[in-house]
């Protein structure tokens, strides 16, 4: 089966995407085409959105599924008239909360996203800048300021995980690649030794690693299955010898990897939801 899912918002659409995708992930037998329509903040834009929704429904013979965070009542009327199953995310969650708390929510456009002067926003930008500046072992002299240092072989997922942890949790994450030279010395690289308590290792299935590296550098020793097996075996042995916690990134999303790291290390997010 294949269905079309729309994420519609009068803001960025991030909230609708996040919650909507979490729900759709529970239906593994269905393939979803996902379409995000952000900044639907006028009746005219809503009408254009509905035209697209209805056109796809007519072409596919299946009603679309809509996850939305629309606040304006006039815009909502237009969206609700579409040929779709419409899930109003805010209404689904806010109504029971209002009932329990005995207080009406503010329910205003863009309320879930912080202004650029808020502590949340500034913490996120600071963490992202740190992750970019300390990517791939670039500035080990700044590791005193790191909350965590991810280590592992090349292409095991260190950089995207570092950036995700910065964006979503405000965690200052550095990452350092373990090279063949490091492995040959049979000990933790000198640059990392003072920060042993901040280290967290990533590993990956060698066959998956070879496939990833082949996309980057086909027919090279770097991407060969033999080389990938060697590097993964050596780095996992180092983790165990040095008592460094680690996890495999194979078949895990960046979201899951990051959340598992936070749980295993006890790190607390700096960003309030």
């Amino acid at each position: 089966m294949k269905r079309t899912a729309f994420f519609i918002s009068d803001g960025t659409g991030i909230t609708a995407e996040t919650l909507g995708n979490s729900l759709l992930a529970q239906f593994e037998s269905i393939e979803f085409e996902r379409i995000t329509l952000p900044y639907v903040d006028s009746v005219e834009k809503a009408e254009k959105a509905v035209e697209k929704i209805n056109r796809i429904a007519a072409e596919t013979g299946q009603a679309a599924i809509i996850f939305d965070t629309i606040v304006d009542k006039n815009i909502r009327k237009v969206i609700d008239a579409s040929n779709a199953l419409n899930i109003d995310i805010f209404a689904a969650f806010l109504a029971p909360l209002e009932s329990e708390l005995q207080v009406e929510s503010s329910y205003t456009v863009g309320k879930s996203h912080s202004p650029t002067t808020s502590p949340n926003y500034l913490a996120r930008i600071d963490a992202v800048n740190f992750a970019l500046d300390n990517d791939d072992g670039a500035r080990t002299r700044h590791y005193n300021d790191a909350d965590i240092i991810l280590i592992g072989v090349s292409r095991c997922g260190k950089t995207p995980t570092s950036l995700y942890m910065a964006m979503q949790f405000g965690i200052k994450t550095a990452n350092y690649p373990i090279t063949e030279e490091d492995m040959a010395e049979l000990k933790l690289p000198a640059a990392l030794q003072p920060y042993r308590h901040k280290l967290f290792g990533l590993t990956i299935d060698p066959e998956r690693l070879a496939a990833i590296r082949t996309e980057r550098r086909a027919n090279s020793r770097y991407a060969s299955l033999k080389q990938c097996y060697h590097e993964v075996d050596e780095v996992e042995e180092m983790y165990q010898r040095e008592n460094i916690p680690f996890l495999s990134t194979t078949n895990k999303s960046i979201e899951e990897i990051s959340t598992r790291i936070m749980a295993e290390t006890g790190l607390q997010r700096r960003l309030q939801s």
Side-chain angles (χ1 to χ4, degrees):
M1 292 181 63
K2 184 173 182 179
R3 299 291 293 270
T4 304
F6 285 86
F7 308 106
I8 303 178
S9 175
D10 42 25
T12 63
I14 292 173
T15 302
E17 283 182 343
T18 301
L19 291 174
N21 278 319
S22 294
L23 293 171
L24 295 180
Q26 308 309 311
F27 300 91
E28 297 179 357
S29 62
I30 302 176
E31 179 184 354
F32 292 99
E33 179 183 358
R34 295 167 167 83
I35 300 172
T36 301
L37 301 178
Y39 301 111
V40 179
D41 52 10
S42 69
V43 169
E44 291 74 21
K45 290 180 181 178
E47 289 171 344
K48 289 183 179 180
V50 169
E51 286 178 11
K52 184 171 185 176
I53 293 165
N54 290 345
R55 183 175 68 252
I56 289 178
E59 291 172 353
T60 62
Q62 297 273 12
I65 299 168
I66 296 174
F67 298 94
D68 82 76
T69 53
I70 297 294
V71 173
D72 186 278
K73 292 180 180 179
N74 292 323
I75 298 174
R76 167 153 302 289
K77 286 181 181 178
V78 176
I79 299 296
D80 285 344
S82 62
N83 182 13
L85 168 65
N86 194 3
I87 300 172
D88 178 355
I89 291 174
F90 280 168
F93 292 102
L94 288 178
L97 278 172
E98 288 175 337
S99 176
E100 174 63 26
L101 299 174
Q102 296 295 302
V103 175
E104 288 190 0
S105 64
S106 54
Y107 203 38
T108 55
V109 177
K111 190 69 176 180
S112 61
H113 302 289
S114 304
T116 57
T117 56
S118 74
N120 259 14
Y121 184 83
L122 296 176
R124 177 181 285 113
I125 294 303
D126 191 31
V128 169
N129 284 335
F130 185 89
L132 292 171
D133 287 343
N134 294 275
D135 182 42
D136 214 24
R139 297 186 180 183
T140 57
R141 66 183 183 277
H142 292 161
Y143 282 3
N144 278 331
D145 297 326
D147 295 312
I148 190 170
I149 304 167
L150 303 182
I151 61 175
V153 300
S154 171
R155 311 304 290 179
C156 69
K158 299 184 300 299
T159 295
T161 302
S162 298
L163 288 170
Y164 185 88
M165 291 178 70
M167 281 290 295
Q168 297 300 318
F169 307 132
I171 298 298
K172 290 185 176 180
T173 309
N175 74 78
Y176 186 99
I178 303 299
T179 66
E180 277 193 281
E181 294 175 1
D182 297 324
M183 297 171 195
E185 293 183 3
L186 299 177
K187 62 181 181 180
L188 199 64
L192 297 178
Q193 289 180 13
Y195 310 102
R196 185 184 298 267
H197 61 292
K198 295 183 178 184
L199 301 181
F200 195 97
L202 299 183
T203 187
I204 188 171
D205 177 77
E207 294 190 10
R208 175 60 180 152
L209 179 61
I212 294 171
R213 288 183 173 185
T214 295
E215 294 179 4
R216 182 181 180 90
R217 203 181 302 168
N219 303 316
S220 64
R221 177 174 174 273
Y222 168 79
S224 71
L225 192 56
K226 179 180 179 181
Q227 179 65 19
C228 291
Y229 266 102
H230 169 70
E231 291 186 24
V232 170
D233 286 346
E234 290 292 321
V235 80
E236 288 186 0
E237 184 178 331
M238 186 189 74
Y239 294 156
Q240 293 168 354
R241 185 175 62 248
E242 301 288 344
N243 199 28
I244 297 169
F246 68 96
L247 63 79
S248 173
T249 61
T250 311
N251 299 323
K252 290 184 178 68
S253 66
I254 297 300
E255 294 88 346
E256 183 179 359
I257 296 166
S258 302
T259 304
R260 284 180 179 270
I261 291 172
M262 295 288 287
E264 291 189 25
T265 60
L267 283 171
Q268 297 297 310
R269 63 186 300 158
R270 287 203 175 89
L271 307 180
Q272 299 301 313
S273 301

